[in-house]
Amino acid sequence: MNNILFQVQNIGLSGWANIATIVSALFAVGALLFAAFEYVSRKRQRNEDNRPYVVVLLEPSEASRQLFNVVIKNIGRSSAKNVHISFSPNQQMQTGNGNKKINDLNILKNISFLPPDKIVTFFFGSYLDKE
C-alpha cells in the first residue's frame, strides 16, 4: 500500500496530463458508442413509424346490419405497394356472377398502390348466408 502511495506522489505534471488524456479518451469512446447506439435506435424507430400499415376488416354495411363489407385501409404514414391479401379459410361470397371464393377476387391479388388513409370497400355478403 505504501509503495502505491509513494508512486502516486512521485507522478509529475506530465504523468497527470497523460492520465487525464487517457481518461478523456475513454469518455470520448463511450460517448461515441452511446451516440452510435442512439442513432441506430432512432433510425429503426423512424422507419417503423413511417411504414405502411394495411388492415383488412369485415364491417357491417351501411345499407343493413345483416350485410357485410370487406374494408381495406392503409393506416400507416406511407404508401403501400404490391399488397396481396388472402383469407383463411377461403370463404365463399356472393358476386354479380354467382358465388365465388373470396381469395379468387382480382382486387385482393394485387393492389399495386394504396396511399395513406385510403380505404377500399366492397360488398362481402349477408350475415344470413354465413355459417
Side-chain angles (χ1 to χ4, degrees), residues 4 17 22 29 52 59 69 75 81 83 85-86 112-113 121 123:
I4 294 173
I22 291 171
V29 168
E59 292 183 347
N69 290 334
I75 60 172
K81 298 174 184 138
V83 178
I85 299 169
S86 65
S112 59
F113 186 77
T121 304
F123 179 67

Side-chain angles (χ1 to χ4, degrees), residues 4-73:
I4 294 173
L5 290 174
F6 179 73
Q7 289 178 355
V8 169
Q9 289 175 351
N10 287 335
I11 295 176
L13 190 57
S14 64
W16 285 112
N18 290 339
I19 291 172
T21 302
I22 291 171
V23 169
S24 298
L26 290 175
F27 276 117
V29 168
L32 181 65
L33 290 175
F34 179 74
F37 174 77
E38 281 294 310
Y39 172 77
V40 169
S41 173
R42 288 179 189 230
K43 184 176 181 181
R44 184 180 311 124
Q45 186 64 42
R46 186 175 56 249
N47 288 343
E48 191 70 22
D49 289 343
N50 290 330
R51 65 180 285 236
Y53 287 96
V54 177
V55 295
V56 180
L57 307 167
L58 195 61
E59 292 183 347
S61 175
E62 293 178 9
S64 170
R65 301 299 267 173
Q66 295 177 346
L67 302 177
F68 289 102
N69 290 334
V70 174
V71 179
I72 303 167
K73 297 180 185 179

Side-chain angles (χ1 to χ4, degrees), residues 1 6 11-13 16 44 52 103 106 110 115 128 131:
M1 183 75 169
F6 179 73
I11 295 176
L13 190 57
W16 285 112
R44 184 180 311 124
N103 289 339
N106 287 333
N110 187 15
L128 301 174
E131 298 175 4

